[in-house]
Structures are given as C-alpha cells and as structure tokens.
Amino acid sequence: MDKFRMIFQFFQSNQESFMNGICGIMALASTQMYSAFDFNCPCLPHYNLAYGLGILLVPPFILFLLGFVLNNNISMLAEEWRRPQGQRGKDAAVLRYMFCSMAQRAMIAPAVWVSVTLLDGKCVTCAFCTSVPVETLGNASHPRLSQGEMQRVLARIPCKEIYNGQELIANEVAVRYLRCISQALGWCFVLLMTVMAFLVRSLRPCFSQAAFLKSRYWSHYIDIERKLFDETCAEHARSFAKVCIQQFFEGMNTDLVATRCHLPRKAPADAGEAAEKLLGITDQGTMNMALKSWHRCKPPLNLHPAALPTGNGWAGEGQPPMHPSAPRRETAAYYSWV
C-alpha cells in the first residue's frame, strides 16, 4: 500500500505527472480492450479490407480524441486561444507548446493499440488475405477458377472452419505469411516511435532550450493562474452565500421578535470575516462585471507599475510606471570660531 500511495502522490504532484499517469492508464486499458475484443473477420471479398483496417485505425483515433478529452489543459488552451487580446498579449509559442504537449501524451494509447494489433496479425490477415501470392505459395494452375471465385476462396483464409481452398493454397501457409508481414510492420512501427521519441527528447534542448523553458514556464503560469482564480471565485462564492444566509436568518429573527415569539440570537462572530472576503463585490451584477472583465481584459504581466482595478479593466494603462522618489539627502555644516 505504501508503494501505491507514493505512486499516487507522485501523480498528484503536478499537472504533467498527473497527465502522464492518465496516459499510462489509457495505454494499459487499450491493451486490455484488444485482448478482450472478439475479432470476427467477415471472410467476404470487399468486406475484409474495410473490417481489418477499421479495427486497426478507428480505435486509435477514438483513443486519441479521448486523450484530448481527459486532458485538463484542453479547455485552458481553447480559452487562451479564443479570448480577446485585452491588456495581455497572447504568445503563439506557448499555445504551440501546450498543444504539442497534449498531442504527445494523447498519442501514447493509439500507438500502443497499433503496435499490439500489428504484432498480433489478425487485422492484417483479414484485410489482405485476398492479396496472397498464390503463384508463389500455392497451386494456381490446379483448379480452374475465375478471378471472382478465387477472391471468394482467398477471402475465407481467416475463417479456418469454412475455408475450402486447401488445393489452391494451404491455410496455415497463407496465415503464417501474412502474420510474418504484420509482425515485421509492427516491430518497424515500434522502432519508428522509439526513435522519434528519442530524437524529440534529446535534440530539442540542443536547438531551442531557452524558448522551450520560456514556453514551459508560461504554460505552467497559465495553469496556476487559472487554478488560483477558480479558488478565489469559490472562496468569494462561499463568503457571499454565508453573508446572504446570515442576513436572511437575521431578518427572520427580527420578524419573530416583532411578533414576540422568541428572543433574537446573537450575530455570529465570523460575519465580519466573511464580509471582508467579499472584497467590496456584494451584488450579482458587479460580480458578473468582474468575471467579464477578467476574460476580456486580463491584467498585464508586469508587477512594477501601480495599477488599480476598475469596473472595465485596469486603470493606469499607457501611463509611465511610478517609481518611489529617492530620499532627499540632508547636509549638516559645522562652524567653529577660533
């Protein structure tokens, strides 16, 4: 249990570790899905190819989209891409970094599915069974079959129980031939993915390390800023609801005292603290205006100039920064009478 707890804490340490854990779980789930999948080739011409390639390509596409859906940064990327310019510029390098980071993680599960499928060989056997070279592996001159009849016979190669073309080509020979080709393609795909991942990891710091660090930093900043904004809004909503409920019960106590039902209760001690957390925003319209202002006119990333928030954005835009005046130097002169 301690090891699982440490792994779980590592996944929760930051956003990237969490998404790496999600992608690893999806990769394991893809292998379990393929092992539990009941593969049934239709064994009909013009249907085998569609079925085999569909099983090979459609689930990876679904897993790729699912990887984007499970990534928490997809909504943040869309929001940052579509928001107005406001008082903060949008860096295209940061948006590209966020998209590439999500795409790389979303590609893990589809790559595992394609690798397992090619190494198993069933999809390739079903899709390309009609393309087996009968002249090389079988006896094309033994039966006098037309091209259409030969296609129907070869299409039944994946279905061993209904295959009736042993005189044309042995079922074991055709299946082994197609499976060897599929496994060769599978190992080539695994090698290609490994080499690409190695090149991306090893060569990227050699060319654009400074730009990479800048994009990664501001990507983390956008994520942290969004979390802090959500936490601040949740805290404000909690304080707003607490003050509303307290005012409601205070009004009820006043009405009950007027009718001499019971004595009024003492106001709770934390009422003032909840009112202080409202930061002066005490009605629905002002809060809606603040939320719209945050979306339209995010404050610039410059902490030095003194900027005061207003209803439509931030005051002080375009004004030079106010620097504190240097302390005035005083000089004392001493005179002596000799």
Side-chain angles (χ1 to χ4, degrees), residues 92-140:
V94 177
L95 299 179
R96 285 195 302 267
Y97 170 80
M98 295 169 62
F99 178 78
C100 293
S101 178
M102 288 186 292
Q104 290 175 6
R105 291 182 175 89
M107 283 293 294
I108 296 178
V112 171
W113 177 277
V114 174
S115 302
V116 172
T117 304
L118 291 176
L119 292 176
D120 185 55
K122 293 180 181 178
C123 290
V124 174
T125 302
C126 180
F128 300 100
C129 58
T130 56
S131 302
V132 174
V134 182
E135 296 82 3
T136 305
L137 302 177
N139 186 12

Side-chain angles (χ1 to χ4, degrees), residues 72-108:
N72 296 329
N73 292 336
I74 185 64
S75 58
M76 182 177 64
L77 174 62
E79 179 183 353
E80 184 68 16
W81 178 50
R82 293 294 300 172
R83 72 172 176 85
Q85 188 73 15
Q87 298 185 4
R88 182 190 302 179
K90 293 184 285 186
D91 194 349
V94 177
L95 299 179
R96 285 195 302 267
Y97 170 80
M98 295 169 62
F99 178 78
C100 293
S101 178
M102 288 186 292
Q104 290 175 6
R105 291 182 175 89
M107 283 293 294
I108 296 178

Side-chain angles (χ1 to χ4, degrees), residues 53-72:
L53 294 182
I55 298 300
L56 180 64
L57 300 177
V58 173
F61 180 72
I62 297 175
L63 292 173
F64 181 74
L65 295 180
L66 188 61
F68 272 101
V69 171
L70 295 179
N71 199 319
N72 296 329

Side-chain angles (χ1 to χ4, degrees), residues 118-121 178-188:
L118 291 176
L119 292 176
D120 185 55
L178 294 173
R179 184 167 295 178
C180 290
I181 294 177
S182 178
Q183 291 178 352
L185 293 175
W187 285 115
C188 290

